[in-house]
Amino acid sequence: MQSLAQSLRAEGKSIGFVPTMGFLHDGHLSLMHAARQENDSVVASIFVNPTQFGPQEDFDRYPRDRDGDLKKCEAAGVDVLFLPEAPEMYPEGVAVFVTVEQLSDVLEGAIRPGHFRGVATVVAKLFNIVQPHRAYFGRKDYQQCAVIRAMVRGLNLAVSVVVLPTVRERDGLAMSSRNVYLGKDERSAATVLWRALQEAEGLVRAGERSAERIQQAMRRILEREQAVTVEYAVVSDAETLAPVSSVRAGTVALLAVRLGRIRLIDNHPLL
Ligand code: AMP
C-alpha cells in the first residue's frame, strides 16, 4: 500500500482516503463519493481496530461483511481498498501509541478509556501507509474528528482533514454499523437522540441560550424512553468540547445513551 501510494504521488496524483471499520452504509459512502470528486485516486480502508475497543466492548461482535463492502466500494468509485490484518498493523513487541491529551479524556474518552489513543494511533499509522492528501471523516463521530484534527496539527501531518455531515435514516437516526444490532423496539426508541437534538435546535431558534436549560430539555426527552440510559447530554464548545454556560456561535450538542447492549452517540451544531 505504501509503495503504491508513493508511486501515485510520484505521478502527481492526489490521494483521497476514507478510513472505516467496514459494514458500510450510506454514511461511509457519502465520504467515498466526496473523495471521488475531489481526488485523482481514492483509497478506502476497512480495519476493525482492536486498540480502540475496551476489554468489555464489542470487538468480537463488531459486524463484518467483506463481500458486501467490496461491492459498495467498487460502486462508489474507490480505486484501492486496503484491508490490513491486526498482526501487520501491530507487530509483536512494538508498542507505539499516539495520545492526544485533554480532548481524549472527556465525554466519549471518559466513558471509553483508551479509545481515542487507539483511534489516533491507527489513523496516524494509516496516514503513514496511505499517504493521503485529503482524509474524509463523518461528523457523526464528532469528538473523533476533533481528536484527529488535533493530532494532525500536533504532529504537523501533511493531510487535509475533511469532515462531512451525518447521514441519517428517514426518521433521523444517524446511520451506524452497530444499528444492525438494535431489536425492533430498540430501533424505534433510538430515534430519541435525534428528537432530543431537534428539541435543542428548536429551543435555540426560539431564543433560548442557557446551556443548562437545553441540557435539561434534551435529558427529559431521552429519559422518556424507558429502555434508554443517558450517559451524557451536553452543550459544548465546538472546538475544545469544554462545557459552555450559554449557547453562542460554535456550540454543539452532544449525546450518548445506552439502549440495551448498544451505545448510541449523536450530535448537532446549535448555532
Ligand atoms: P466507522 O466505520 O464507524 O469507524 O466509520 C468510518 C467513518 O465513517 C468515520 O469517519 C465516521 O465518522 C463515518 N461515519 C459513520 N457513520 C456516519 C454517518 N451516519 N454519516 C456520516 N459519516 C459517518
Side-chain angles (χ1 to χ4, degrees):
M1 182 66 244
Q2 202 172 45
S3 28
L4 175 58
Q6 278 162 353
S7 39
L8 289 169
R9 280 183 166 255
E11 291 166 27
K13 296 211 165 119
S14 62
I15 302 174
F17 177 43
V18 183
T20 81
M21 299 208 299
F23 210 74
L24 302 176
H25 50 67
D26 286 353
H28 298 115
L29 300 187
S30 73
L31 306 182
M32 292 172 183
H33 290 140
R36 180 69 281 164
Q37 287 194 337
E38 295 167 8
N39 301 276
D40 299 318
S41 301
V42 176
V43 180
S45 64
I46 297 178
F47 180 57
V48 183
N49 172 36
T51 64
Q52 71 189 69
F53 288 78
Q56 309 302 326
E57 293 184 0
D58 60 350
F59 176 69
D60 293 328
R61 285 183 288 120
Y62 198 83
R64 291 164 167 88
D65 176 17
R66 185 62 59 90
D67 293 344
D69 287 351
L70 251 162
K71 292 198 184 98
K72 287 175 190 167
C73 286
E74 247 177 351
V78 169
D79 298 305
V80 181
L81 181 56
F82 180 50
L83 302 162
E85 298 290 342
E88 22 171 12
M89 289 298 277
Y90 297 106
E92 239 183 271
V94 181
V96 178
F97 291 93
V98 177
T99 307
V100 175
E101 297 198 351
Q102 290 164 352
L103 267 177
S104 295
D105 300 331
V106 298
L107 302 173
E108 284 303 285
I111 292 165
R112 307 181 67 187
H115 172 64
F116 288 119
R117 183 181 86 141
V119 169
T121 301
V122 80
V123 172
K125 289 165 69 67
L126 289 168
F127 282 2
N128 282 329
I129 297 167
V130 175
Q131 307 197 5
H133 296 83
R134 300 182 191 85
Y136 296 80
F137 296 89
R139 191 176 299 148
K140 146 104 188 343
D141 298 284
Y142 193 92
Q143 189 172 4
Q144 171 170 285
C145 293
V147 166
I148 288 163
R149 277 202 178 111
M151 177 188 78
V152 164
R153 282 188 70 195
L155 294 178
N156 306 90
L157 303 184
V159 180
S160 301
V161 173
V162 182
V163 175
L164 295 174
T166 303
V167 177
R168 299 179 179 282
E169 304 285 356
R170 288 165 71 96
D171 62 8
L173 176 65
M175 289 192 182
S176 163
S177 305
R178 289 182 172 106
N179 290 351
V180 66
Y181 288 131
L182 293 169
K184 190 162 169 284
D185 293 345
E186 290 168 340
R187 173 63 188 80
S188 57
T191 58
V192 76
L193 286 95
W194 182 233
R195 284 185 271 136
L197 291 169
Q198 282 187 307
E199 172 75 7
E201 184 177 41
L203 286 171
V204 171
R205 204 175 292 138
E208 180 62 82
R209 290 294 179 271
S210 156
E212 183 60 36
R213 281 197 290 270
I214 292 166
Q215 286 168 186
Q216 280 166 3
M218 292 195 297
R219 198 170 265 276
R220 252 196 317 276
I221 290 185
L222 295 170
E223 285 172 350
R224 260 189 236 145
E225 288 290 346
Q226 295 277 320
V228 163
T229 311
V230 182
E231 288 188 336
Y232 57 79
V234 296
V235 174
S236 299
D237 180 87
E239 299 272 310
T240 64
L241 300 185
V244 295
S245 55
S246 61
V247 174
R248 47 186 150 75
T251 307
V252 61
L254 297 145
L255 307 179
V257 306
R258 275 188 178 283
L259 191 50
R261 289 200 308 168
I262 314 290
R263 283 188 82 242
L264 296 172
I265 58 171
D266 204 348
N267 66 84
H268 198 53
L270 287 185
L271 259 187

